[in-house]
Amino acid sequence: MVVFSQPPIEHFSHIKTCKPTSYSSFAVPVIDLSNPDAKTLLVKACEEYGFFKVINHGVSMELMTRLETEAVKFFSLSQQQKEKAGPPDPCGYGSKRIGSNGDMGWIEYLLFATNPQAIYQKSRSVSLENPEIFRSAVNEYILAMKALACEVLELIADGLKIKQRNVMSRLLNDEKSDCFFRLNHYPPYPELQALSGRNFIGFGEHTDPQIISVLRSNNTSGLQICLEDGTWVSVPPDQNSFFLNVGDCLQVLTNGRFRSVKHRVMAESLKSRVSMIYFGGPPLSEKIAPLPSVMKAEEESLYKEFTWCEFKTSAYKSRLADNRLGLFEKKTAGL
């Protein structure tokens, strides 16, 4: 049995809580990537929810569990040992503080840039006993997630009837792509829950600014997404599958046809949740604007053109729940 070390609980009063509520379960769109109709189903899921689960993805369970094992080893270390991999700048180890603008959560995490050199450097502070095993597990997993994200983006391009099917995946495959990888741990908190009678928010509501995100977690619940009508629904966990969500940039690339989904994580009072997320981002200099191939005749762009660097800089200055795209939306004439 693995015993996780607890993050320091001083200042836990700054972490948002909410009253225990029974959230309705959500019938997540399930996309079988071996299904010939996958391209059509992917487009439908992106339009309706901006969120879906993929099965028959070709990623081995051994690869997934190997990285989860390494993550559990790290998060089980003493707080003093873990902090040797921080503070986040933004990469590295962080605990409770999310970003630099005051957002807090019942979470500890490791954030990596996905280039091998950056991972090599961080691995030496993350795993003192055998950094090579940790580095190898992270690198192999990232390569698999990149391939999966690109496969999905190319199927989406097929579903949108775009002739250049790599029009979006090329942004992730570019050697200058700005992709990140995050390992999250949401510790249990039985004593604090008994004191407060409320649930801690592990990671507050937000959208992801990149193009697409690929998530896998252990079998502990906590992930919730916000439907178009504002209803929050719980996503049943599935450690054998991957959950993907539309990011802000993909919403812009499709001129609002796809929806960047707002999501959050509620911490479990009795069970530890471990998740791993690949964030597929474009090169910093890439100009982001609606793709002409998805625009209908006479359709106007809903967004001002921006570079990923401009949008990322703006996002880093915002709070989690802010509408980051609001600054880049074109104002309707007459308003």
Side-chain angles (χ1 to χ4, degrees), residues 77-97:
L77 295 173
S78 69
Q79 192 62 34
Q80 184 179 16
Q81 287 175 298
K82 287 183 288 191
E83 287 178 351
K84 291 178 181 178
D89 58 351
C91 295
Y93 172 76
S95 176
K96 298 194 302 299
R97 188 176 302 280

Side-chain angles (χ1 to χ4, degrees), residues 26 28-31 38-53 244 246 257-259:
F26 170 53
V28 181
V30 179
I31 313 296
K39 60 185 181 183
T40 304
L41 297 173
L42 283 168
V43 169
K44 186 173 186 289
C46 289
E47 289 177 337
E48 294 183 356
Y49 302 107
F51 184 86
F52 52 91
K53 178 167 81 172
L244 285 81
V246 171
R257 181 170 171 179
F258 291 178
R259 189 168 70 91

Side-chain angles (χ1 to χ4, degrees), residues 19 45 55 87 89 158 231 272 306:
K19 293 180 180 178
I55 59 174
D89 58 351
D158 291 341
T231 303
S272 174
F306 54 83

Side-chain angles (χ1 to χ4, degrees), residues 81-297:
Q81 287 175 298
K82 287 183 288 191
E83 287 178 351
K84 291 178 181 178
D89 58 351
C91 295
Y93 172 76
S95 176
K96 298 194 302 299
R97 188 176 302 280
I98 303 169
S100 57
N101 300 307
D103 289 298
M104 304 286 283
W106 191 250
I107 183 176
E108 55 179 346
Y109 63 87
L110 279 169
L111 181 65
F112 302 89
T114 59
N115 68 79
Q117 184 59 33
I119 293 170
Y120 172 77
Q121 294 291 341
K122 281 297 177 187
S123 295
R124 291 190 296 175
S125 58
V126 169
S127 178
L128 300 178
E129 290 184 3
N130 202 328
E132 176 57 28
I133 292 178
F134 184 88
R135 184 193 66 80
S136 174
V138 171
N139 274 333
E140 289 182 32
Y141 188 86
I142 286 173
L143 286 174
M145 294 304 97
K146 178 180 177 180
L148 177 59
C150 288
E151 178 185 0
V152 168
L153 288 172
E154 290 177 1
L155 285 170
I156 287 173
D158 291 341
L160 292 171
K161 296 180 171 56
I162 299 173
K163 290 182 180 179
Q164 185 187 350
R165 71 189 308 259
N166 73 337
V167 66
M168 293 177 287
S169 64
R170 68 174 180 82
L171 302 176
L172 275 57
N173 280 320
D174 192 297
E175 63 179 11
K176 294 182 180 180
S177 66
D178 189 44
C179 301
F180 284 82
F181 179 65
R182 187 174 180 127
L183 292 169
N184 289 333
H185 174 224
Y186 302 92
Y189 54 96
E191 300 87 354
L192 297 181
Q193 203 275 341
L195 287 173
S196 66
R198 298 170 69 87
N199 289 338
F200 280 125
I201 294 178
F203 207 111
E205 63 180 77
H206 65 287
T207 60
D208 292 340
Q210 293 88 354
I211 296 171
I212 197 165
S213 305
V214 186
L215 163 76
R216 181 207 172 251
S217 75
N218 62 0
N219 264 345
T220 300
S221 61
L223 177 64
Q224 298 175 353
I225 70 166
C226 187
L227 302 182
E228 202 163 11
D229 64 1
T231 303
W232 284 97
V233 292
S234 293
V235 177
D238 181 353
Q239 64 181 2
N240 300 308
S241 305
F242 293 97
F243 296 90
L244 285 81
N245 63 269
V246 171
D248 294 340
C249 284
L250 187 50
Q251 177 171 317
V252 173
L253 290 170
T254 58
N255 204 33
R257 181 170 171 179
F258 291 178
R259 189 168 70 91
S260 181
V261 65
K262 188 177 290 186
H263 53 288
R264 67 185 181 188
V265 176
M266 306 302 294
E268 281 270 347
S269 61
L270 300 176
K271 295 174 67 179
S272 174
R273 175 180 168 89
V274 176
S275 63
M276 43 198 77
I277 311 101
Y278 170 83
F279 300 99
L284 289 171
S285 60
E286 186 69 29
K287 293 179 179 178
I288 307 297
L291 297 168
S293 47
V294 303
M295 304 275 280
K296 298 176 182 177

